[in-house]
Amino acid sequence: MNIRFLFFASIREAAKTRELELDIPGGNVNDALSHLETRIPELRRHLDRVQIAVNEEYSDRNRSLREGDTVALIPPVSGGKS
Amino acid sequence: MNIRFLFFASIREAAKTRELELDIPGGNVNDALSHLETRIPELRRHLDRVQIAVNEEYSDRNRSLREGDTVALIPPVSGGKS
Amino acid sequence: MIRIQREDFSVDAVIQALKQQGMGAIVTFTGIARGESRDGKPVRAVEWDVYETMALRAFAKIREDSIHRFGLIDAAIVHRYGRQEPGENLVLIAAASSHRQEAFDACQFMMNEIKRSAPLWKKEILDDGEERWIGE
Amino acid sequence: MIRIQREDFSVDAVIQALKQQGMGAIVTFTGIARGESRDGKPVRAVEWDVYETMALRAFAKIREDSIHRFGLIDAAIVHRYGRQEPGENLVLIAAASSHRQEAFDACQFMMNEIKRSAPLWKKEILDDGEERWIGE
């Protein structure tokens, strides 16, 4: 099934792209991330520190994915004081 | 000596003028206010609730006045929430 | 910046005038004429009386105290006098600092101090024609 | 009003857009690009990355929560993306209410919530060419 990945900030820079579509055999978010890090090894060291959003909703990594889902890798937000 | 009185808000409306110059024989603020209330009896009931400023500085009523002093009658400010 | 003026003000212009190196936060408070009194009566307009020279002096002191107390980079107070109808701007307070907490705290402090101590008086003119000085 | 935009904003225009009957107070927070980093290094510019659809949804929720929680009449969030140099506006929060305390509290709450939870990322570009994502 087709999954669309979105990358932001440092993750986008590591991936060298803002988005990527992968055709993977199915499974949950964790499975999809395994396929992703095979395709873009530079992301491996970032995967533990990102939050995941599926179709614009924060999600845990056991969530099953469906054809056409969008998986966003969300690094920590800037926080702090402005 | 010449004393210039200034009136604001409800005091101005009671006095029907914004300012008034009186030639009085001298003394302190209390003495000047006595002359003022003789001249404008409508102010009498207001005098207890005003603060006094002499030459733009808040002042007590025992302060001695000098030729040319400006005595402002300051009603309570609006306060409250906006 | 300290102003007592009849005409309306621009918040953008005041912010622009305050901007200096090192600023990260500007908090503004705009007071607006309300169409209803505290006791729920319709208000046609408000009118301000002001002891201008003393009020300018009070504003200057409040501004300087706030800059010192909260470590602001700059601050502004602009107050209108004359007559305003509901929806019109009355007063603008602006506090500018490196980080935002100080600007929020200072802006509130300045407005409280102005309300408490500056020689300005607001008259409400009600729809039924009644006029009353607020706070007296 | 909720906006994520590249171009600058006008505080006056946002205030004008919020104005409604019953308002007595509008508090705004403007965040400005600083020329110095937290650790004291000169900053040439900041650049924002944003997950726009999720950030708009987060802003809408923060705005609605704040209106409800503080009894606001209306509120606005405008955030720029792209690149800004020191002194340029970054973000505008506005809270409008009948009386001022609620507007101050809500404006701070909204900015804290945005910082805490909206998917926006700020990169500092230092004078020496170093680039770093803040908060990561």
Side-chain angles (χ1 to χ4, degrees), chain C residues 46-66:
Chain C
V46 295
E47 269 182 27
W48 294 88
D49 197 9
V50 55
Y51 187 178
E52 188 165 351
T53 51
M54 262 193 91
L56 284 170
R57 191 183 292 199
F59 287 178
K61 182 172 186 324
I62 291 166
R63 175 180 167 277
E64 282 154 28
D65 286 353
S66 303

mmCIF file of all heavy atoms in Angstrom, chain C residues 46-66:
data_model
loop_
_atom_site.group_PDB
_atom_site.id
_atom_site.type_symbol
_atom_site.label_atom_id
_atom_site.label_comp_id
_atom_site.label_asym_id
_atom_site.label_seq_id
_atom_site.Cartn_x
_atom_site.Cartn_y
_atom_site.Cartn_z
ATOM 1 N N VAL C 46 -18.433 58.314 25.591
ATOM 2 C CA VAL C 46 -17.700 58.701 26.796
ATOM 3 C C VAL C 46 -16.954 59.991 26.494
ATOM 4 O O VAL C 46 -16.634 60.288 25.339
ATOM 5 C CB VAL C 46 -16.700 57.614 27.267
ATOM 6 C CG1 VAL C 46 -17.445 56.372 27.702
ATOM 7 C CG2 VAL C 46 -15.685 57.292 26.186
ATOM 8 N N GLU C 47 -16.708 60.748 27.543
ATOM 9 C CA GLU C 47 -15.945 61.990 27.402
ATOM 10 C C GLU C 47 -14.914 62.045 28.503
ATOM 11 O O GLU C 47 -15.215 61.729 29.664
ATOM 12 C CB GLU C 47 -16.864 63.214 27.522
ATOM 13 C CG GLU C 47 -17.422 63.683 26.201
ATOM 14 C CD GLU C 47 -18.283 64.927 26.372
ATOM 15 O OE1 GLU C 47 -18.064 65.708 27.334
ATOM 16 O OE2 GLU C 47 -19.178 65.101 25.541
ATOM 17 N N TRP C 48 -13.712 62.439 28.127
ATOM 18 C CA TRP C 48 -12.614 62.493 29.089
ATOM 19 C C TRP C 48 -12.300 63.930 29.447
ATOM 20 O O TRP C 48 -12.231 64.787 28.573
ATOM 21 C CB TRP C 48 -11.355 61.873 28.482
ATOM 22 C CG TRP C 48 -11.497 60.421 28.237
ATOM 23 C CD1 TRP C 48 -12.002 59.826 27.113
ATOM 24 C CD2 TRP C 48 -11.168 59.372 29.129
ATOM 25 N NE1 TRP C 48 -11.994 58.468 27.256
ATOM 26 C CE2 TRP C 48 -11.483 58.159 28.484
ATOM 27 C CE3 TRP C 48 -10.624 59.327 30.421
ATOM 28 C CZ2 TRP C 48 -11.279 56.921 29.093
ATOM 29 C CZ3 TRP C 48 -10.420 58.091 31.016
ATOM 30 C CH2 TRP C 48 -10.748 56.898 30.354
ATOM 31 N N ASP C 49 -12.067 64.130 30.723
ATOM 32 C CA ASP C 49 -11.438 65.365 31.148
ATOM 33 C C ASP C 49 -10.056 64.972 31.659
ATOM 34 O O ASP C 49 -9.863 63.867 32.184
ATOM 35 C CB ASP C 49 -12.266 66.033 32.250
ATOM 36 C CG ASP C 49 -11.883 67.493 32.438
ATOM 37 O OD1 ASP C 49 -11.107 68.037 31.614
ATOM 38 O OD2 ASP C 49 -12.364 68.092 33.412
ATOM 39 N N VAL C 50 -9.090 65.847 31.497
ATOM 40 C CA VAL C 50 -7.718 65.504 31.862
ATOM 41 C C VAL C 50 -6.996 66.752 32.361
ATOM 42 O O VAL C 50 -7.214 67.858 31.851
ATOM 43 C CB VAL C 50 -6.977 64.885 30.654
ATOM 44 C CG1 VAL C 50 -7.024 65.786 29.428
ATOM 45 C CG2 VAL C 50 -5.525 64.547 31.001
ATOM 46 N N TYR C 51 -6.194 66.561 33.386
ATOM 47 C CA TYR C 51 -5.272 67.616 33.819
ATOM 48 C C TYR C 51 -3.975 67.316 33.082
ATOM 49 O O TYR C 51 -3.142 66.543 33.550
ATOM 50 C CB TYR C 51 -5.098 67.537 35.334
ATOM 51 C CG TYR C 51 -4.307 68.655 35.976
ATOM 52 C CD1 TYR C 51 -4.135 68.682 37.352
ATOM 53 C CD2 TYR C 51 -3.746 69.701 35.226
ATOM 54 C CE1 TYR C 51 -3.430 69.704 37.977
ATOM 55 C CE2 TYR C 51 -3.032 70.723 35.832
ATOM 56 C CZ TYR C 51 -2.874 70.723 37.204
ATOM 57 O OH TYR C 51 -2.172 71.722 37.816
ATOM 58 N N GLU C 52 -3.845 67.928 31.923
ATOM 59 C CA GLU C 52 -2.872 67.424 30.957
ATOM 60 C C GLU C 52 -1.431 67.450 31.472
ATOM 61 O O GLU C 52 -0.714 66.447 31.346
ATOM 62 C CB GLU C 52 -2.981 68.206 29.639
ATOM 63 C CG GLU C 52 -2.132 67.573 28.555
ATOM 64 C CD GLU C 52 -2.472 68.078 27.166
ATOM 65 O OE1 GLU C 52 -3.476 68.793 27.002
ATOM 66 O OE2 GLU C 52 -1.726 67.731 26.238
ATOM 67 N N THR C 53 -1.025 68.550 32.039
ATOM 68 C CA THR C 53 0.388 68.604 32.459
ATOM 69 C C THR C 53 0.682 67.580 33.563
ATOM 70 O O THR C 53 1.709 66.901 33.539
ATOM 71 C CB THR C 53 0.768 70.020 32.933
ATOM 72 O OG1 THR C 53 -0.194 70.448 33.907
ATOM 73 C CG2 THR C 53 0.773 70.995 31.771
ATOM 74 N N MET C 54 -0.247 67.450 34.530
ATOM 75 C CA MET C 54 -0.019 66.461 35.591
ATOM 76 C C MET C 54 -0.127 65.035 35.068
ATOM 77 O O MET C 54 0.589 64.139 35.524
ATOM 78 C CB MET C 54 -1.027 66.657 36.726
ATOM 79 C CG MET C 54 -0.461 67.460 37.881
ATOM 80 S SD MET C 54 -1.530 67.366 39.364
ATOM 81 C CE MET C 54 -0.841 65.958 40.243
ATOM 82 N N ALA C 55 -1.036 64.818 34.132
ATOM 83 C CA ALA C 55 -1.194 63.470 33.583
ATOM 84 C C ALA C 55 0.051 63.068 32.794
ATOM 85 O O ALA C 55 0.517 61.926 32.887
ATOM 86 C CB ALA C 55 -2.445 63.388 32.709
ATOM 87 N N LEU C 56 0.583 63.989 32.040
ATOM 88 C CA LEU C 56 1.815 63.676 31.293
ATOM 89 C C LEU C 56 2.943 63.332 32.268
ATOM 90 O O LEU C 56 3.721 62.401 32.034
ATOM 91 C CB LEU C 56 2.225 64.868 30.424
ATOM 92 C CG LEU C 56 1.399 65.059 29.148
ATOM 93 C CD1 LEU C 56 1.721 66.405 28.501
ATOM 94 C CD2 LEU C 56 1.660 63.919 28.147
ATOM 95 N N ARG C 57 2.992 64.078 33.351
ATOM 96 C CA ARG C 57 4.019 63.789 34.349
ATOM 97 C C ARG C 57 3.778 62.416 34.987
ATOM 98 O O ARG C 57 4.721 61.643 35.210
ATOM 99 C CB ARG C 57 3.991 64.899 35.413
ATOM 100 C CG ARG C 57 5.147 64.864 36.348
ATOM 101 C CD ARG C 57 5.001 65.930 37.408
ATOM 102 N NE ARG C 57 5.116 67.280 36.843
ATOM 103 C CZ ARG C 57 5.380 68.359 37.571
ATOM 104 N NH1 ARG C 57 5.527 68.247 38.885
ATOM 105 N NH2 ARG C 57 5.485 69.540 37.013
ATOM 106 N N ALA C 58 2.504 62.111 35.295
ATOM 107 C CA ALA C 58 2.185 60.792 35.869
ATOM 108 C C ALA C 58 2.535 59.669 34.883
ATOM 109 O O ALA C 58 3.122 58.649 35.270
ATOM 110 C CB ALA C 58 0.696 60.728 36.234
ATOM 111 N N PHE C 59 2.176 59.865 33.615
ATOM 112 C CA PHE C 59 2.490 58.838 32.601
ATOM 113 C C PHE C 59 4.001 58.623 32.500
ATOM 114 O O PHE C 59 4.475 57.485 32.403
ATOM 115 C CB PHE C 59 1.965 59.260 31.226
ATOM 116 C CG PHE C 59 0.475 59.165 31.070
ATOM 117 C CD1 PHE C 59 -0.128 59.559 29.875
ATOM 118 C CD2 PHE C 59 -0.344 58.675 32.081
ATOM 119 C CE1 PHE C 59 -1.505 59.472 29.702
ATOM 120 C CE2 PHE C 59 -1.720 58.592 31.921
ATOM 121 C CZ PHE C 59 -2.295 58.992 30.734
ATOM 122 N N ALA C 60 4.743 59.723 32.508
ATOM 123 C CA ALA C 60 6.206 59.608 32.389
ATOM 124 C C ALA C 60 6.773 58.810 33.559
ATOM 125 O O ALA C 60 7.643 57.949 33.382
ATOM 126 C CB ALA C 60 6.842 60.994 32.315
ATOM 127 N N LYS C 61 6.245 59.072 34.748
ATOM 128 C CA LYS C 61 6.744 58.353 35.929
ATOM 129 C C LYS C 61 6.359 56.869 35.863
ATOM 130 O O LYS C 61 7.177 55.993 36.149
ATOM 131 C CB LYS C 61 6.176 58.999 37.197
ATOM 132 C CG LYS C 61 6.704 58.337 38.461
ATOM 133 C CD LYS C 61 6.304 59.090 39.711
ATOM 134 C CE LYS C 61 6.967 58.508 40.966
ATOM 135 N NZ LYS C 61 7.126 57.059 40.973
ATOM 136 N N ILE C 62 5.124 56.597 35.468
ATOM 137 C CA ILE C 62 4.681 55.198 35.363
ATOM 138 C C ILE C 62 5.519 54.461 34.323
ATOM 139 O O ILE C 62 5.951 53.325 34.535
ATOM 140 C CB ILE C 62 3.177 55.152 35.003
ATOM 141 C CG1 ILE C 62 2.335 55.647 36.188
ATOM 142 C CG2 ILE C 62 2.756 53.746 34.568
ATOM 143 C CD1 ILE C 62 0.878 55.955 35.844
ATOM 144 N N ARG C 63 5.758 55.121 33.200
ATOM 145 C CA ARG C 63 6.561 54.495 32.145
ATOM 146 C C ARG C 63 7.977 54.200 32.654
ATOM 147 O O ARG C 63 8.495 53.096 32.479
ATOM 148 C CB ARG C 63 6.612 55.430 30.935
ATOM 149 C CG ARG C 63 7.516 54.949 29.830
ATOM 150 C CD ARG C 63 7.529 55.923 28.651
ATOM 151 N NE ARG C 63 8.616 55.592 27.748
ATOM 152 C CZ ARG C 63 9.867 56.001 27.934
ATOM 153 N NH1 ARG C 63 10.184 56.754 28.974
ATOM 154 N NH2 ARG C 63 10.807 55.634 27.071
ATOM 155 N N GLU C 64 8.583 55.187 33.287
ATOM 156 C CA GLU C 64 9.971 54.990 33.751
ATOM 157 C C GLU C 64 10.045 53.938 34.858
ATOM 158 O O GLU C 64 10.938 53.095 34.851
ATOM 159 C CB GLU C 64 10.564 56.323 34.233
ATOM 160 C CG GLU C 64 10.994 57.204 33.066
ATOM 161 C CD GLU C 64 10.977 58.697 33.401
ATOM 162 O OE1 GLU C 64 11.153 59.035 34.588
ATOM 163 O OE2 GLU C 64 10.761 59.505 32.462
ATOM 164 N N ASP C 65 9.099 53.993 35.797
ATOM 165 C CA ASP C 65 9.067 52.970 36.851
ATOM 166 C C ASP C 65 8.942 51.573 36.253
ATOM 167 O O ASP C 65 9.573 50.618 36.727
ATOM 168 C CB ASP C 65 7.867 53.201 37.785
ATOM 169 C CG ASP C 65 8.081 54.384 38.717
ATOM 170 O OD1 ASP C 65 9.199 54.942 38.742
ATOM 171 O OD2 ASP C 65 7.124 54.758 39.416
ATOM 172 N N SER C 66 8.107 51.437 35.230
ATOM 173 C CA SER C 66 7.867 50.117 34.641
ATOM 174 C C SER C 66 9.099 49.611 33.897
ATOM 175 O O SER C 66 9.444 48.436 33.974
ATOM 176 C CB SER C 66 6.687 50.180 33.671
ATOM 177 O OG SER C 66 5.553 50.662 34.347
#
